[in-house]
Amino acid sequence: MRTEKRKPIRVDFNNMTSDFIGKEGITTRDLNKIKPLTGQAFAAYKDGRGKGMMGWTELPYNQADVVADIKKTAAEISEKYENFVVLGIGGSALGPFAVFNALCHLRHNDLPKRKRKGPKFFVEDNVDPERMAALLDVIDVSKTVFNVITKSGSTSETMSQYLIISDLLKKKIGDGWSGHIIATTDEKNGNLIKLAEENGFKTFFVPSSVGGRFSELCPVGLLPAAVLGIDIDEMLAGAEYIDGVCADSDDIYKNAALMNAAMQYIAIKKGKNISVMMPYADSLKYMADWYCQLWGESLGKEKSLDGGNVYAGQTPVKALGVTDQHSQVQLYIEGPFDKVITLIAVEKYRKTVKIADGCERYPNVSFLCGHTLNELITNERIATEYALQKASRLNHTIILPSVNAYTIGQLIMFFQIETAYLGAMLNIDAFNQPGVEAGKNATYALFGRKGFEEKRAEIEASPKKKRKLII
Ligand code: PA5
């Protein structure tokens, strides 16, 4: 039986079609033409699931022991500590921060302790010195647990944060400092696992078959979520539901993730090189950030699986409804025809706020009286959808019955499966990130790390900057 909480997300594709937006839209003929490709993508997903770097497909099913350990550890942390700080970057940070914002009070850290379901929460995904200094101004490290998350155990940003924090902990706490660190990393490879073994940190593992941006539903995301009092069983149940409906049929009219991938594929071929993600909910603002990494890093590839140059990808852009109606939407409606816009609708917000009476003398304002902010945000979304449709702009709407652990689990799995389908259709490896590695290696070289001498020489041999162009 479907409870109020356990409702499915749905996708409204009407405004992607020529029936609604005219010649810019996708036709049934377009979809029929790529049927062999959607069939192949579906088969590739089915064959690949659980293998290679597709271990994330099985996370709803194979983590019972891990989940039990996570819940036990989370309860201990909540009991003992005032702050929980994630040290990580990219796939090791975006998911935890997105889920925190989606499922906790929007002013979580400002609430008094008795009103929070967990410690104060911080995700430090940059090495801006001012940011680290600012964090240390507001937390007492002796009342804080640091979750160092790095699958590779060698990412400069995360390891430099680890060094700063472990040094501080040693100085401030002495013996027992290691109890303030939880390491989430690869079970066998990298520096962090060695440090964890040396120092006796509590550890959780990122399965070797799960890449950073596909890792929210493993301990990378589940531990921070559980510490915050989020129902991680519900998140996994939501993901399992989507796996059931989006990995079960190669009929695009029964499989919304495959339909979405097919429509994005056609859109890309028609020159729509930008994917805008625009949730109409502050709680989902950072889900758009998480999506941008998933979409950008997975699909932005130079090489096809056959080794040819393809320079694939679609640039992800985040926007927030209604805020960006007064910033970006002008461009979306009147600018170049180069975008697919994904709106995220929430049917039932967790709060209702009434707009008070007043201003009766001013009809331009008084029409709002007696209504709610819920009605206003909903009508503004419908109005934007209509304006996009009238302007012949490809757009579709993902409908969340409400924002809860079950629908967030669904949303995460939905985008992951869609990304895998589209990667297969584009004939690229959606699970590697050679571009990111190139940047990481250049940083190591600039620091003179052993083994990166050749890279350093290469950087030093690059053309000197022209002074006249630095104005
Ligand atoms: O998706 C990815 O694989 C990357 O964004 C990584 O998550 C990011 O580079 C951080 O890597 P690591 O977890 O090894 O520190």
Side-chain angles (χ1 to χ4, degrees), residues 89-92 150-152 155 212-213 293 297 433 436 440:
I89 196 163
S92 295
T150 166
K151 182 179 178 190
S152 63
T155 302
R213 56 195 176 275
Q293 190 215 10
E297 225 170 88
Q433 52 283 325
V436 179
K440 285 187 179 181

Side-chain angles (χ1 to χ4, degrees), residues 392-425:
S392 302
R393 307 301 165 136
L394 285 171
N395 72 93
H396 59 285
T397 302
I398 300 179
I399 305 157
L400 264 65
S402 60
V403 178
N404 58 45
Y406 188 70
T407 53
I408 290 299
Q410 290 183 66
L411 203 58
I412 290 169
M413 197 62 158
F414 178 82
F415 285 133
Q416 291 182 166
I417 296 178
E418 182 198 358
T419 302
Y421 284 144
L422 186 51
M425 293 176 73

Side-chain angles (χ1 to χ4, degrees), residues 9 28 35 49 90 132 150 237 290 372 374 389 413:
I9 64 171
T28 309
K35 213 171 166 194
R49 61 177 304 149
M132 177 56 85
T150 166
W290 172 85
T372 60
N374 308 54
Q389 182 234 312
M413 197 62 158

Side-chain angles (χ1 to χ4, degrees), residues 145-156:
V145 67
F146 296 89
N147 186 191
V148 187
I149 310 180
T150 166
K151 182 179 178 190
S152 63
S154 65
T155 302
S156 307

Side-chain angles (χ1 to χ4, degrees), residues 129-143:
E130 293 182 21
R131 178 154 161 193
M132 177 56 85
L135 174 76
L136 296 174
D137 281 341
V138 298
I139 61 164
D140 174 349
V141 292
S142 65
K143 294 178 180 163

Side-chain angles (χ1 to χ4, degrees), residues 37 265 268-269 299 304 310 312-313 421-428:
L37 206 52
Y265 178 85
I268 290 171
K269 297 292 165 197
L299 303 175
S304 74
V310 285
Y421 284 144
L422 186 51
M425 293 176 73
L426 293 168
N427 192 33
I428 48 125

